Amino acid sequence: MDDLEQAILLASDSPAAAAASPAVRAEALAYCARARDETPPSSLLHLCLYGLASSPHAHVHFWCLQTIHDALLLRRRLALPDDLALLRSSLLSLAVSSNAASPPFLRNKLAQLLALLVRFEYPHVYPSYFLDLIPPSPPLPGPTDMFARVLVSLDDDLLSQDYPRNAEEASDAGRVKDAMRAQCVPQIARHWHEAAVSLRAADPAVAAVALDAARRCISWIDVSLVANDVFVPLLFDIALSPGSVAPLAAAAVGCLSAVAAKRMDARAKVALLRSLMSAQKGFGSPDSGLKMAHLVTAYAVEALECYRKLGSSDADGAAALEMLEEVLPAVFAAAESGDDDEVDSGSVLEFLSGYVSTMKAPTEKQLGHLGQILEVVRMQMSYDPVYRGHLDVLDKIGKEEEDLMAEQRKDLIALFRSICRVAPGATQLFIRGLLVTALSSAEVSVEDVEVALTLFYRLGEIVGEEEIRTGAGLIRELVPMLLSARFSCHTHRLVALVYLDTISRYIKFMQENDQYVPHLLTVFLDERGIHHQNAHVSCHAGYLLMRAIRLLKAKLVPYLDTILQSLQDALVQFTATDWANKDIKFSSSEDGSQIFEAVGLLIGIEEVSPDKQVQCLTALLNPLCQQIESLVMDAKAQGLEESSPRAIGLQQIIVALTMISKGFNERLVMGSRPTLGVMFKKTLDVVLQVLISFPNVKPVRSKIISFLHRMVEILGISVLPCIPIALRQLLVDNEAKDMSEFLYLINQIICKFKSSANALLEDVFPAIASHLSVILSHDAFSNGFASNTEEMRELQELEKRFYAFLLHIATHDLSTVLLTPSCRHYLENIMQLLLITSCSHKEISHRKTCVQTFVNLIKDWCSSSEIEDKLPGFRVFMIEKFATGCCLQSVLDKSFNFRDGISIALFGEIMMAQKVMYERFGENFVVNFVTKLREAHCPPDLAEQYYQKLQGNDIKAFKSFYESLVMKIRQQQNGSLVFR
């Protein structure tokens, strides 16, 4: 044993191990492992028991206990009855003589080992475990502590239902509980009481452990053993006594909470709750809530559940509601204390939500309770002031706190909504009080203002649009109050943002009440909005102003000059800022450019006079165009790098021009106000000079494409002469992402101008096809990129847009472009690509697009007479290749899923293709297709039915029949046909 003892000390974290080298420690660990694994079970047991009896070292004792525990768990070791009897007597002797001063880790391990023996042997092998372990009266600290730890270990490892148990564990737990109830639970309960009485002052830590063990057992013992006139007053006295140390008081509260939560019939529960209430005077007081938060919450939850089950018409149900309302002040005090260690805010919130849900028409008393619940919501939704600085600059800590609060507020907002629905008037009064307080004090905190505004914002989500429009309730008073508000902490980012959002939430009130429009504009335009010192707030204000202009439109015409004058410096700053040196990161939807969209929307309002529009637009566009010309001139002399200030400046200006154009439409620009069209056309010429001069600067090129999209929309057909120049430059030095953006523009042009784009498309198609044949080659998809890499995503997006491009050509009277001499060179490859994709592409949506393309090409190129076909050989290709490969073999493949929505849509297009081929190709198609059906083992009668259904006009019946035909052929082939 001496060598083993030395090895254990070296392998543990003892002082001896600290001085040992890693090699020595490794050798010691190996020695201990061999002793544990290679010693015969009986010898191992005697070795460990000897170590427990003879060694003075706690680490040796722990190793011995752990080794026995592991061996016992295997069940295949220490199986001899004599060995188990020796182990049992030794451990019980150790437990009974346990000293409370011994290390806690040793006492816990001994308790765990005893709990395991109880599981295996009680009561059938040794029925006296608990009778031996219950300390004699009066209880001493050592044995009391040891017995409590055994009960706690037994609860953790076997009895507690808080953890998942397998069938064997559940059976063992039931056996142990039943035996304890029959034999010793009353004695154990008496011991708990004696331990609490005698040790609360002498050794409060041990008394706390004893009561914690009691708490764990209350759920399955006879509750009257604890819920009686002797034990309950003692528990209340310990919980509320100023002399009780915190762990002991918490343990007493835990026992009382377990009593309140004991499962039983609702009427019995009401009686139990009544007894708890009568046992302690002032049980429902706020002081009780602060000292016994867990208890009052559990009590309230149980009373509410009884009320729900029994109802208000039942005497016990009414009594449950009365007890519930009596304890509410204590619940509110607990919830408002903000003590996370003492209060389970989740449980409190769940209870409050349940309580509010029981209300239909609140009484005066209940309205008072709802006011207190609103105060709880307000407090729990408030930020901790310690994060105030972080939330203002929104650094990493601030962002984490903001995200955490957003998650925490979800349930609180749900509770707030429930209160709003039950008592809208009381909710509005509460918010009014918060706003009045916030406005009347110069010392009001950021956190109080933010939460008051947030609640007002959430109120706007719940009340209907009509209520906001008409100013129902207190809204007519609150909105004007908010519009004129200037909080002392308005410079803080949180306050400024939620203030602007709240104003915007109620903007329909201003739409109905014109007199408040000037106040609204003042909010957006002064230091509370666009001129706020925080850039994020300023950009957000610009975005919200743009939305406000979209809604109010003509109502803002009288204020046009005022708005433009107020925005002048912000407009200049956007294009003059050195964004390359800015640390600020903005979301794409709120980057500051929205003020240009706001101005464009304002100028583009039809109620603005033509002269005024021209004047304002000239003042807006000319400086921007001059900036572009100046930057281009400098860049030609000194070069233009992607990340250079000039390149970023050009991007900002082009973005500004794009946003301005969003305020205008083709009807206005090219119809009623053509002078505006001339101005935008000149602007387009200036922007195109950037593209012509620097086609390789891709960030700038991307912004120009966005601008071109807008020009196509507002300038209409007049833009076409400018497009070829742009397209040629956009095809320079292209990668997958660039081509994808390019195709998006081409698709827009095709959809917008249809056959008018014929010449343009004929000119550019060869270059498009040439580029795509390289970028979308087979190698591009098999060069080792993972399918989730950025490069692969760009290729997949380009592929999707290319198929859309071909479909747009086929559906907008442009398919003849493919037949021109300059394009025909690429036609065979395109047809093969469409065929392969329509038959076997893994993206079902791509297959559907290609089938639709083929259907439209059949309609365009083929007539009922083959000699009139526009493309010789196309008819044969469709009959022999497409019909067989796509319409038959691809759907016979078991990978085609008839339960998938997208696949069903594809199947519908395939059926349509067959109908169109029959209309244009007639018997040639039918004969070939029926032959292919028979080769696929289709029964002759079904092949004949196919012909009949094909000739009919009921496409739905034809589709249903063909699906059943496919399934029958699949069954015959056992799904073995795979398309290649």
Side-chain angles (χ1 to χ4, degrees):
M1 184 65 202
D2 292 343
D3 290 342
L4 179 60
E5 180 177 287
Q6 188 63 31
I8 293 169
L9 292 174
L10 288 171
S12 65
D13 57 354
S14 65
S21 68
V24 170
R25 292 200 67 188
E27 186 178 349
L29 284 167
Y31 186 87
C32 293
R34 286 196 301 273
R36 182 188 64 229
D37 299 335
E38 298 175 7
T39 306
S42 184
S43 301
L44 181 65
L45 172 63
H46 285 81
L47 182 69
C48 290
L49 291 179
Y50 178 76
L52 288 170
S54 63
S55 177
H57 301 292
H59 291 93
V60 175
H61 293 176
F62 184 84
W63 186 91
C64 293
L65 291 171
Q66 182 67 57
T67 299
I68 296 171
H69 183 272
D70 292 345
L72 195 60
L73 265 181
L74 293 174
R75 290 203 175 200
R76 292 187 296 273
R77 309 187 69 181
L78 303 182
L80 296 175
D82 290 345
D83 287 341
L84 290 174
L86 175 62
L87 174 62
R88 183 190 317 121
S89 63
S90 300
L91 294 182
L92 287 172
S93 176
L94 283 172
V96 169
S97 60
S98 174
N99 184 350
S102 65
F105 70 90
L106 269 187
R107 281 178 281 156
N108 286 338
K109 183 52 66 177
L110 176 59
Q112 189 181 27
L113 186 49
L114 277 167
L116 189 60
L117 279 174
V118 168
R119 176 187 171 186
F120 292 157
E121 295 192 321
Y122 180 76
H124 52 292
V125 175
Y126 189 75
S128 302
Y129 269 109
F130 294 100
L131 298 178
D132 292 347
L133 285 169
I134 296 174
S137 181
L140 297 174
T144 299
D145 177 82
M146 193 66 240
F147 180 55
R149 289 177 190 270
V150 171
L151 291 177
V152 169
S153 290
L154 192 61
D155 181 70
D156 283 339
D157 298 342
L158 184 66
L159 303 184
S160 174
Q161 295 182 340
D162 293 339
Y163 311 102
R165 309 289 187 192
N166 60 36
E168 184 182 12
E169 289 171 331
S171 174
D172 290 344
R175 185 192 74 243
V176 170
K177 286 179 181 177
D178 289 342
M180 290 180 69
R181 291 188 193 102
Q183 182 197 50
C184 57
V185 165
Q187 296 96 307
I188 293 174
R190 194 158 45 249
H191 161 72
W192 289 331
H193 181 269
E194 290 177 352
V197 170
S198 62
L199 297 176
R200 61 182 294 188
D203 199 328
V206 173
V209 174
L211 289 182
D212 182 55
R215 173 188 65 80
R216 292 164 175 262
C217 297
I218 287 171
S219 64
W220 56 270
I221 67 173
D222 179 359
V223 73
S224 65
L225 294 172
V226 178
N228 53 53
D229 294 341
V230 176
F231 214 144
V232 167
L234 172 65
L235 291 172
F236 271 120
D237 184 52
I238 293 173
L240 296 173
S241 172
S244 296
V245 297
L248 178 58
V253 170
C255 286
L256 290 167
S257 301
V259 169
K262 175 79 173 178
R263 290 191 220 171
M264 61 182 69
D265 173 75
R267 295 190 189 282
K269 176 58 72 70
V270 171
L272 176 65
L273 295 177
R274 188 182 289 115
S275 70
L276 288 175
M277 180 73 74
S278 60
Q280 179 60 40
K281 185 178 180 181
F283 176 61
S285 68
D287 185 58
S288 293
L290 295 174
K291 294 180 178 178
M292 301 186 295
H294 285 297
L295 173 58
V296 297
T297 304
Y299 188 98
V301 167
E302 296 300 323
L304 177 62
E305 187 61 24
C306 290
Y307 172 68
R308 279 175 164 168
K309 289 180 178 178
L310 299 172
S312 57
S313 59
D314 183 274
D316 284 333
L321 180 61
E322 185 179 335
M323 289 186 288
L324 167 63
E325 293 184 336
E326 190 169 338
V327 81
L328 277 176
V331 175
F332 295 142
E336 292 172 8
S337 68
D339 189 344
D340 293 335
D341 294 331
E342 293 295 327
V343 182
D344 182 354
S345 57
S347 298
V348 172
L349 190 58
E350 186 177 353
F351 159 70
L352 293 175
S353 298
Y355 176 56
V356 173
S357 70
T358 64
M359 298 183 191
K360 301 297 181 236
T363 62
E364 198 65 34
K365 184 177 183 181
Q366 287 177 324
L367 286 174
H369 292 154
L370 289 175
Q372 289 180 281
I373 295 173
L374 285 169
E375 179 58 23
V376 170
V377 170
R378 185 197 72 81
M379 290 187 64
Q380 294 196 8
M381 283 181 66
S382 297
Y383 281 99
D384 188 330
V386 74
Y387 297 106
R388 187 179 298 170
H390 298 289
L391 288 163
D392 193 19
V393 298
L394 201 62
D395 56 15
K396 182 181 178 182
I397 295 174
K399 184 71 172 69
E400 289 174 356
E401 179 63 15
E402 196 169 62
D403 292 343
L404 191 66
M405 180 58 78
E407 188 63 32
Q408 181 180 320
R409 283 180 172 182
K410 287 179 180 177
D411 291 335
L412 291 163
I413 290 167
L415 174 57
F416 177 73
R417 289 178 185 226
S418 298
I419 299 172
C420 285
R421 294 188 188 100
V422 172
T427 306
Q428 292 181 24
L429 275 172
F430 178 78
I431 291 172
R432 180 185 182 277
L434 295 180
L435 291 176
V436 168
T437 301
L439 287 168
S440 60
S441 171
E443 305 299 321
V444 66
S445 70
V446 167
E447 294 73 28
D448 287 345
V449 175
E450 190 274 341
V451 78
L453 292 171
T454 297
L455 290 174
F456 190 25
Y457 174 86
R458 295 297 176 180
L459 176 68
E461 289 182 329
I462 299 159
V463 299
E465 285 190 9
E466 188 59 29
E467 284 86 345
I468 291 178
R469 196 185 303 277
T470 58
L474 291 176
I475 291 176
R476 180 168 292 278
E477 175 188 352
L478 294 176
V479 174
M481 182 191 302
L482 192 64
L483 285 169
S484 60
R486 291 180 182 271
F487 300 103
S488 57
C489 53
H490 220 126
T491 55
H492 195 280
R493 185 189 66 88
L494 274 183
V495 171
L497 287 175
V498 72
Y499 175 76
L500 291 169
D501 285 335
T502 307
I503 291 289
S504 296
R505 171 63 64 188
Y506 291 91
I507 201 165
K508 290 193 175 176
F509 175 79
M510 279 69 88
Q511 188 180 23
E512 200 69 20
N513 298 271
D514 297 3
Q515 68 271 30
Y516 295 110
V517 170
H519 302 280
L520 173 69
L521 291 174
T522 302
V523 167
F524 282 127
L525 298 173
D526 67 15
E527 69 281 356
R528 291 171 293 177
I530 286 171
H531 290 93
H532 194 279
Q533 65 186 31
N534 185 293
H536 287 282
V537 176
S538 176
C539 289
H540 189 57
Y543 168 73
L544 294 177
L545 174 62
M546 176 269 292
R547 287 178 50 187
I549 292 173
R550 281 188 184 277
L551 182 68
L552 299 175
K553 291 180 181 175
K555 295 182 185 296
L556 299 178
V557 172
Y559 311 100
L560 176 61
D561 289 332
T562 302
I563 296 171
L564 292 178
Q565 185 176 356
S566 298
L567 290 176
Q568 185 61 39
D569 59 338
L571 295 170
V572 171
Q573 183 180 6
F574 179 82
T575 56
T577 300
D578 183 4
W579 295 93
N581 295 326
K582 283 285 182 181
D583 294 330
I584 302 171
K585 302 295 182 185
F586 298 101
S587 69
S588 57
S589 61
E590 296 182 17
D591 59 1
S593 65
Q594 286 73 30
I595 55 171
F596 287 93
E597 183 175 355
V599 170
L601 287 166
L602 193 61
I603 297 171
I605 296 171
E606 293 192 31
E607 285 76 5
V608 176
S609 68
D611 291 342
K612 189 67 174 177
Q613 281 183 325
V614 170
Q615 176 193 341
C616 294
L617 194 58
T618 300
L620 201 57
L621 296 180
N622 283 357
L624 294 173
C625 289
Q626 289 166 9
Q627 280 183 271
I628 290 176
E629 290 168 343
S630 174
L631 286 169
V632 167
M633 188 178 301
D634 290 346
K636 283 180 177 179
Q638 302 178 35
L640 189 66
E641 298 293 331
E642 284 190 5
S643 58
S644 66
R646 288 190 192 88
I648 294 171
L650 284 170
Q651 290 178 60
Q652 293 300 110
I653 297 166
I654 294 167
V655 166
L657 292 169
T658 302
M659 300 304 275
I660 291 168
S661 70
K662 289 185 177 183
F664 300 84
N665 56 60
E666 185 179 354
R667 182 177 54 81
L668 181 71
V669 168
M670 302 307 299
S672 57
R673 312 277 171 91
T675 307
L676 302 179
V678 173
M679 297 172 70
F680 277 112
K681 180 67 168 51
K682 289 180 179 178
T683 304
L684 173 60
D685 291 337
V686 172
V687 172
L688 287 178
Q689 287 306 307
V690 181
L691 185 60
I692 292 167
S693 302
F694 307 102
N696 295 318
V697 184
K698 293 185 178 180
V700 175
R701 183 166 71 181
S702 181
K703 298 296 187 291
I704 292 173
I705 289 175
S706 297
F707 181 69
L708 287 171
H709 279 296
R710 287 300 309 149
M711 294 302 100
V712 168
E713 283 301 313
I714 68 171
L715 294 179
I717 200 75
S718 69
V719 81
L720 274 179
C722 304
I723 294 296
I725 302 170
L727 296 184
R728 280 193 290 273
Q729 299 302 316
L730 292 174
L731 283 168
V732 173
D733 188 25
N734 270 351
E735 296 175 355
K737 183 181 178 182
D738 309 313
M739 278 304 297
S740 186
E741 291 180 348
F742 177 87
L743 284 180
Y744 193 56
L745 176 61
I746 285 289
N747 288 341
Q748 180 199 17
I749 292 168
I750 292 172
C751 294
K752 177 81 173 176
F753 303 123
K754 300 180 175 59
S755 60
S756 299
N758 194 298
L760 170 69
L761 189 58
E762 184 178 339
D763 179 54
V764 77
F765 185 87
I768 295 174
S770 176
H771 277 72
L772 291 177
S773 66
V774 176
I775 298 175
L776 292 179
S777 65
H778 176 72
D779 291 341
F781 286 92
S782 57
N783 62 358
F785 289 133
S787 60
N788 62 345
T789 63
E790 187 63 28
E791 294 90 344
M792 183 57 73
R793 280 194 291 269
E794 289 173 359
L795 283 171
Q796 290 168 345
E797 182 63 24
L798 174 59
E799 186 181 42
K800 175 183 174 182
R801 289 196 173 162
F802 176 55
Y803 292 131
F805 169 63
L806 294 176
L807 178 59
H808 290 319
I809 288 175
T811 53
H812 290 94
D813 299 324
L814 291 166
S815 64
T816 53
V817 170
L818 301 175
L819 304 179
T820 59
S822 60
C823 303
R824 200 154 181 167
H825 170 72
Y826 302 97
L827 192 54
E828 182 178 351
N829 287 341
I830 289 172
M831 291 298 108
Q832 289 296 330
L833 179 63
L834 287 172
L835 175 64
I836 293 170
T837 303
S838 65
C839 293
S840 59
H841 201 289
K842 66 179 182 179
E843 287 291 338
I844 303 297
S845 59
H846 292 356
R847 292 165 69 172
K848 176 171 170 276
T849 301
C850 291
V851 172
Q852 290 172 321
T853 302
F854 270 134
V855 168
N856 283 281
L857 291 178
I858 293 170
K859 293 177 180 178
D860 279 1
W861 292 349
C862 301
S863 65
S864 56
S865 172
E866 186 172 356
I867 59 174
E868 297 178 11
D869 287 357
K870 296 179 181 177
L871 180 63
F874 180 68
R875 178 185 296 254
V876 175
F877 173 81
M878 295 304 296
I879 292 173
E880 295 183 357
K881 301 296 184 181
F882 174 76
T884 304
C886 180
C887 299
L888 179 58
Q889 291 177 330
S890 74
V891 295
L892 284 177
D893 191 282
K894 61 183 178 181
S895 65
F896 194 98
N897 183 8
F898 283 99
R899 294 183 179 179
D900 173 60
I902 302 177
S903 297
I904 291 171
L906 167 60
F907 188 67
E909 296 298 334
I910 289 173
M911 300 312 299
M912 181 58 66
Q914 294 175 58
K915 293 288 286 184
V916 172
M917 284 190 287
Y918 175 64
E919 291 170 5
R920 297 300 169 99
F921 305 154
E923 292 298 320
N924 288 340
F925 162 69
V926 176
V927 170
N928 184 79
F929 198 74
V930 170
T931 300
K932 297 299 181 183
L933 282 174
R934 287 172 177 161
E935 289 175 2
H937 308 293
C938 174
D941 59 321
L942 290 181
E944 183 60 33
Q945 285 184 49
Y946 169 81
Y947 185 27
Q948 294 171 1
K949 297 287 185 182
L950 179 62
Q951 292 174 307
N953 295 321
D954 190 344
I955 185 69
K956 190 174 182 181
F958 178 42
K959 180 180 176 183
S960 177
F961 164 78
Y962 193 63
E963 181 180 342
S964 65
L965 182 147
V966 167
M967 298 308 293
K968 287 178 182 177
I969 297 177
R970 278 190 187 182
Q971 290 171 4
Q972 290 190 2
Q973 298 179 338
N974 196 24
S976 62
L977 183 64
V978 179
F979 177 75
R980 293 286 183 266

